[in-house]
């Protein structure tokens, strides 16, 4: 039986409506032929079941290409600023000039060759070179990168050291020369020169100590790293030199006052000897001899820098010679007390001869007094 076309279409429509709303594949037609020559066509729809899928979070894994791209886009390190670079080079050159000027006041080998005993030292030209360097460093600070700013701070620290060291050096040298002045006053029995020299030595020494303290507060030996201008050994050596010279200056001031008191007692003994006050003169020379021996030992054993060797050795020699002379004068007083005028005069002659054995002692005021005295 052949279905009417209308019924076939309706049936097919229902089948289609029962499927999913998703896109369907084309229906498969099956044709069956029987003996009655009736052809039956059956539409077999293929149904596709759609299973909903839950969306999973997507994790992006950077690929090698992405990583390389990120590296290439990183901010590069800033390059040196050319203006700052040139300023730093010029600043270091100015500092090298300052150190050379400083060294040239000594032997030129280094700033350590300049000592308390150096003559004609001037710190002003050294300070001027440091100021020139600072002008350059101001420019570097204005235009420089972080690395260049660190370098500028380092060089500025070196400049501070050179400037304060030069000023301290000036005061240390002044203290030394005022010590020499006081020593001259001691030899000449000039109380004004002696007292003024010691007072000015004290003032210069105190000023130097203050400058040295400031130098140590404002600078560090680490600042010398990476620069040929000044080595750490020079920095630390200069500080040690200043400390030693200031310490011995202070100690020597006390020893000079002690020496002055001894010479007063010496002069008193000479006056008593020529006044025929032999007993007191003998006691004076006994005490003076012992005191001079003690003083000579102190001067010899004093821990001193080389810059003070000459002055201290001279003072020790003078004390030793005067001690020997005091022994001759004591013998003269003892002989006079015993009314042995011949021995008294011979002992005095020995004392006078001994006074002439040393160039410094021969020019001292006490020597003149002994030669001018008469019994």
């Amino acid at each position: 039986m052949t279905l009417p076309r209308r019924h076939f279409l309706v049936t097919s429509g229902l089948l289609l409506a029962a499927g999913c709303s998703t896109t369907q594949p084309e229906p498969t037609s099956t044709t069956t032929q029987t003996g009655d020559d009736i052809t039956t066509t059956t539409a077999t729809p293929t149904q596709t079941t759609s299973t909903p899928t839950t969306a999973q979070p997507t994790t992006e894994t950077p690929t090698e290409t992405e990583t390389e791209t990120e590296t290439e886009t990183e901010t590069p390190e800033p390059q040196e600023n050319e203006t700052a670079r040139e300023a730093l080079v010029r600043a270091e050159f100015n500092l090298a000039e300052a150190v050379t000027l400083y060294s040239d006041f000594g032997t030129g080998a280094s700033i350590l060759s300049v000592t308390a005993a150096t003559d004609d030292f001037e710190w002003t030209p050294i300070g001027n070179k440091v100021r020139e360097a600072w002008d350059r460093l101001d420019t570097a600070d204005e235009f420089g990168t972080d690395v260049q700013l660190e370098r500028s701070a380092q060089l500025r620290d070196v400049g501070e050291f050179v400037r304060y060291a030069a000023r301290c050096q000036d005061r240390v040298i002044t203290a030394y020369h005022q010590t020499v002045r006081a020593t001259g006053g001691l030899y000449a029995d000039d109380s004004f020169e002696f007292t003024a020299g010691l007072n000015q030595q004290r003032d210069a020494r105190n000023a130097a100590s203050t400058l040295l303290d400031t130098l140590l507060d404002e600078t560090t030996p680490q600042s010398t790293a990476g620069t040929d201008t000044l080595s750490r050994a020079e920095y630390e050596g200069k500080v040690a030199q200043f400390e030693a010279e200031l310490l011995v200056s202070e100690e020597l001031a006390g020893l000079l006052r002690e020496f002055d008191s001894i010479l007063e007692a010496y002069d008193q003994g000479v006056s008593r000897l020529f006044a025929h006050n032999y007993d007191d003169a003998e006691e004076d020379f006994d005490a003076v001899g012992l005191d001079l021996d003690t003083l000579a030992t102190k001067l010899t054993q004093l821990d001193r820098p080389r810059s003070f060797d000459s002055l201290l050795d001279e003072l020790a020699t003078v004390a030793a010679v005067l001690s020997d002379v005091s022994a001759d004068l004591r013998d003269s007083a003892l002989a006079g007390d015993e009314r042995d005028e011949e021995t008294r005069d011979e002992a005095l002659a020995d004392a006078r001869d001994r006074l002439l054995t040393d160039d410094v002692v021969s020019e001292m005021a006490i020597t003149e007094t002994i030669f001018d005295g008469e019994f």
Side-chain angles (χ1 to χ4, degrees):
M1 176 179 178
T2 302
L3 293 176
R5 180 177 177 81
R6 178 182 179 85
H7 184 77
F8 176 78
L9 291 174
V10 170
T11 302
S12 300
L14 290 172
L15 290 171
L16 290 170
C20 297
S21 61
T22 58
T23 303
Q24 303 295 323
E26 293 294 324
T28 303
S29 297
T30 305
T31 303
T32 304
Q33 187 173 3
T34 65
D36 296 330
D37 296 329
I38 296 175
T39 301
T40 301
T41 303
T42 304
T44 306
T46 302
Q47 184 173 353
T48 303
T49 304
S50 176
T51 303
T53 303
T54 303
Q56 298 297 325
T58 303
T59 302
E60 293 186 4
T61 302
T63 64
E64 183 178 351
T65 302
E66 290 174 336
T67 304
E68 290 176 356
T69 302
E70 290 177 2
T71 302
E72 292 173 356
T73 57
E74 288 181 358
T75 304
E77 289 294 324
Q79 299 296 317
E80 278 193 339
N81 180 276
E82 182 60 25
T83 300
R85 187 197 67 78
E86 184 176 341
L88 289 171
V89 170
R90 291 179 178 273
E92 188 161 12
F93 178 77
N94 291 144
L95 290 176
E97 287 183 308
V99 172
T100 298
L101 282 174
Y102 196 147
S103 301
D104 284 346
F105 283 107
T107 63
S110 76
I111 61 175
L112 296 176
S113 68
V114 184
T115 70
T118 298
D119 294 320
D120 303 322
F121 180 83
E122 294 182 36
W123 75 269
T124 303
I126 300 170
N128 290 339
K129 285 298 178 182
V130 173
R131 279 192 290 272
E132 288 182 30
W134 281 350
D135 289 341
R136 310 292 190 189
L137 294 177
D138 288 341
T139 300
D141 291 345
E142 182 178 357
F143 296 101
T145 62
D146 288 345
V147 173
Q148 288 174 317
L149 291 179
E150 290 179 5
R151 179 63 171 166
S152 177
Q154 180 188 35
L155 292 177
R156 197 177 292 275
D157 203 36
V158 172
E160 285 279 30
F161 172 82
V162 174
R163 184 171 72 99
Y164 278 117
R167 293 176 62 192
C168 183
Q169 186 76 69
D170 179 71
R171 295 293 84 198
V172 169
I173 290 173
T174 298
Y176 177 86
H177 286 291
Q178 289 301 319
T179 304
V180 173
R181 176 188 180 187
T183 302
L186 177 76
Y187 294 158
D189 194 23
D190 187 331
S191 60
F192 175 81
E193 284 295 300
F194 178 75
T195 303
L198 288 182
N199 288 341
Q200 293 190 34
Q201 186 246 45
R202 177 201 60 213
D203 294 343
R205 189 178 70 243
N206 290 341
S209 295
T210 299
L211 287 166
L212 180 57
D213 288 341
T214 304
L215 180 152
L216 294 173
D217 289 340
E218 299 292 332
T219 67
T220 62
Q222 288 79 9
S223 64
T224 61
T227 175
D228 295 331
T229 303
L230 187 75
S231 70
R232 180 166 184 155
E234 287 177 305
Y235 180 108
E236 295 176 341
K238 198 64 191 176
V239 170
Q241 184 186 71
F242 283 152
E243 291 173 339
E245 289 176 337
L246 289 173
L247 178 60
V248 75
S249 291
E250 183 177 5
E251 293 176 340
L252 185 50
L255 291 177
L256 286 175
R257 290 189 178 92
E258 185 177 332
F259 207 159
D260 184 55
S261 297
I262 294 173
L263 288 181
E264 287 182 3
Y266 208 112
D267 189 65
Q268 175 180 272
V270 171
S271 298
R272 286 174 171 173
L273 175 65
F274 289 120
H276 305 282
N277 188 354
Y278 299 123
D279 284 341
D280 290 338
E282 183 182 351
E283 292 180 3
D284 288 338
F285 290 125
D286 269 335
V288 164
L290 291 173
D291 290 342
L292 285 169
D293 287 340
T294 301
L295 179 62
T297 300
K298 290 179 181 178
L299 290 165
T300 301
Q301 296 180 350
L302 187 65
D303 187 15
R304 89 283 287 273
R306 291 182 179 180
S307 53
F308 279 77
D309 280 346
S310 177
L311 180 58
L312 289 171
D313 288 346
E314 176 187 285
L315 283 164
T317 298
V318 169
V321 170
L322 289 179
S323 177
D324 291 340
V325 171
S326 70
D328 292 331
L329 294 177
R330 180 201 59 209
D331 291 343
S332 179
L334 178 60
D337 188 50
E338 294 176 349
R339 300 180 182 279
D340 184 352
E341 295 183 359
E342 182 179 357
T343 302
R344 180 199 67 183
D345 294 345
E346 289 177 353
L348 176 61
D350 290 341
R352 287 171 172 169
D353 290 341
R354 201 182 300 277
L355 288 170
L356 300 178
T357 60
D358 182 81
D359 292 339
V360 175
V361 174
S362 65
E363 298 296 328
M364 290 179 66
I366 190 66
T367 298
E368 183 178 356
T369 300
I370 292 172
F371 270 92
D372 290 344
E374 295 181 359
F375 290 114

